[in-house]
Amino acid sequence: MEVKMVKNLNAAPNHPKMVAWVNEWAELCEPDAIYWCDGTNTEYYGLCDEMVKSGLATRLNSKLRPDCVLFRSDPSDVARVEARTFIASEKEEDAGPTNHWIDPKKLKAEMTALYKGCMHGRTMYVIPFSMGPVGSNIAKIGVEITDSAYVVINMHVMTRVGNAVLDVLGTDGEFVPCIHSVGKPLENGATDNGVWPCAPMEHKYIAQFPETREIWSYGSGYGGNAILGKKCLALRIASVQARDEGWMAEHMLILKLTNPEGKVKYVTGAFPSACGKTNLAMLIPTIPGWKVETIGDDISWMKFGKDGRLYAINPENGFFGVAPGTSMKSNKNAMLSCAKETIFTNCALRPNGDIWWEGMDVELEPGEKLIDWKGNVWEMGKTDAEGKPVKAAHPNARFTARACNCPVIADCPAIAPNWEDPAGVPIDAFLFGGRRPSTLPLVYQALSWEHGVMIGSSVGSEVTAAALDVKAGTVRRDPFAMLPFCGYNMGDYWKHWIEIGKVAGAKLPKIFCVNWFRKTADGKWLWPGFGDNSRVLKWVFERCDGEGKAVETPIGYMPTVDAIDRTGIENKVTEADMKELLSFDREGWLKELEMIKEHYKKFDRLPKELTAQLEALEARLAK
Ligand code: SAT
Ligand code: MN
């Protein structure tokens, strides 16, 4: 189909199906121009310049933050919107009890009406991208259409964009089609005038069509709502593909662990939000001679190799990290990664042209006046009309940093040199964890694969009284940390995990549950966390080798009190602390058992293997 009136700013590729698809969308959205992205630095910096000129972005001080830009979003568009995120499967029960379902025909009709003419006055960018090293047999290709240059530069950092991807596709290769519009047409030569474009909440849609493997997003320009390679493709759509094709798409970090003898193991981990997942992925060990390097901080795609082991790639190419709380102390590697060539969103701006956020551990000058994330003048101690403290950076302010800028320096090894190996890395262990002030020990190992699947299915964090309308002590379950990211029925997803365990010849990773957040009865942390978590990783490493002292308890294998290396922290974590951290709390577990039973009742397609695991746990606890 020929598109009239539309300027084509870059040559379209020789892929008739893709070109026809783009033209069809151009006819509907009516952009001023179509721009085929080539993924070059020239393109990236050209778009940054344009956005600085239009007032949408601020360039940071090139001496303090070379090649960095800052964006301030609309205050209504600051995070993923789960209430507007839909799994539009043919049948409602295939979306399952944890997803918002909408009939795909109805949704497409509604969204098509919104897309009609939505790109007036804007350029339609077409971004061919690879999730995973280009050409890896675990990688997948997507093409995102968007009218946001901000999305283009974020996709540049977070995925692999450009002509190499088109080369892999050839003239008829498969890709996941992803449509995105900020939903703010510009009529009669109007401009955004430096204001972040987006649509009102009721017009925002983040839609996944699992059967046809399509993504349609409308109305938001922020994060996972708009950077469609990340949660939409790499988790929601990929989880469906993984189920159908016998592999795994997981919301997991991947790290490389090297012992003093140079022996290597690879570990992945799933944690609900606010459990220190990024910090764990970038941990600096406190035990001499041990090394932790990052392969990925958020998503892991795993396929069986010929040897029966699961090989993982990080499908991403950068870090989309939460800025507040990130400091040289909490996460040196993240801080160094965003020293240059970084996109900052909703952080505060200092008069010297650098960025700032709460918990950055950077002192401000006395009386220093910043520009906060809303564009207002801000000073330390600022309060609103009701006397409540005003934050300089939004709590979900982000940095989009290139993984290749994660340093590899002697005292702080961070990104693993082989992080882009197209074959992936063989996984030895899976970790699951949440914030559990009581009951769950510092670490324990599953008795079997299926027992491990039960642990993953009941991951959760305890909520405090302050949070929403829930009772203190309630555990908010986030199975496999996939609650908002599983593209199909959660019960079927658990079944898929069970099936993975039955693959002939599979050499499966060992499964562990960790809990860095145990507290004493009077509310003090029992475990220092951060770099000292390497001590737990050491035990995991040893267990994978069939070593590491452990006792079998009703809940799984637990380290003996002396099995966790405390060299150098004996005063901080005493033997008595260790006993408490590694105690088996029968009373607590009897309550936990009842809570898991309640949790399982919410799932219509609970696999029988998990019912059996729950019964087996009950029997062991009764002994
Ligand atoms: O906005 S993202 O989905 O990319 C990050 C997150 O919310 O976990
Ligand atoms: Mn995540």
Side-chain angles (χ1 to χ4, degrees), residues 171-296:
T171 54
D172 60 356
E174 288 269 321
F175 62 92
V176 176
C178 312
I179 312 293
H180 171 254
S181 171
V182 294
K184 186 109 192 291
L186 296 166
E187 306 299 350
N188 309 319
T191 70
D192 286 321
N193 210 11
V195 175
W196 177 274
C198 60
M201 193 55 86
E202 66 274 17
H203 287 166
K204 286 185 180 30
Y205 288 92
I206 322 300
Q208 283 72 203
F209 301 89
E211 282 96 359
T212 51
R213 315 262 207 252
E214 294 169 281
I215 299 162
W216 288 21
S217 166
Y218 186 90
S220 166
Y222 205 90
N225 300 335
I227 305 164
L228 301 184
K230 196 174 175 60
K231 309 294 190 186
C232 299
L233 194 159
L235 288 175
R236 296 195 193 99
I237 294 295
S239 62
V240 175
Q241 292 177 305
R243 174 200 62 191
D244 294 348
E245 298 166 7
W247 52 284
M248 307 176 89
E250 300 300 328
H251 191 203
M252 287 178 162
L253 63 88
I254 313 168
L255 61 82
K256 179 179 182 180
L257 194 56
T258 308
N259 76 0
E261 288 74 51
K263 200 166 169 188
V264 171
K265 302 227 179 281
Y266 294 96
V267 176
T268 68
F271 297 81
S273 59
C275 289
K277 182 173 158 198
T278 306
N279 293 346
L280 181 63
M282 300 184 174
L283 167 148
I284 300 173
T286 54
I287 16 177
W290 284 76
K291 196 155 87 176
V292 170
E293 293 161 292
T294 311
I295 302 279

Side-chain angles (χ1 to χ4, degrees), residues 78-82 158 222-227 230-232 235-236 251 273 277 298-299 316 320-322 396 398 484-485:
V78 292
R80 278 186 297 104
V81 280
E82 288 177 16
M158 294 307 297
Y222 205 90
N225 300 335
I227 305 164
K230 196 174 175 60
K231 309 294 190 186
C232 299
L235 288 175
R236 296 195 193 99
H251 191 203
S273 59
K277 182 173 158 198
D298 197 35
I299 300 174
E316 301 193 276
F320 187 64
V322 176
N396 192 38
R398 297 276 174 162
F485 306 122

Side-chain angles (χ1 to χ4, degrees), residues 516-543:
W516 321 130
F517 301 96
R518 270 299 286 267
K519 284 185 171 172
T520 58
D522 54 352
K524 288 202 206 65
W525 299 115
L526 269 165
W527 181 249
F530 297 101
D532 286 319
N533 292 338
S534 57
R535 298 165 191 275
V536 173
L537 293 178
K538 179 181 172 187
W539 184 75
V540 166
F541 186 111
E542 292 164 352
R543 292 298 291 169

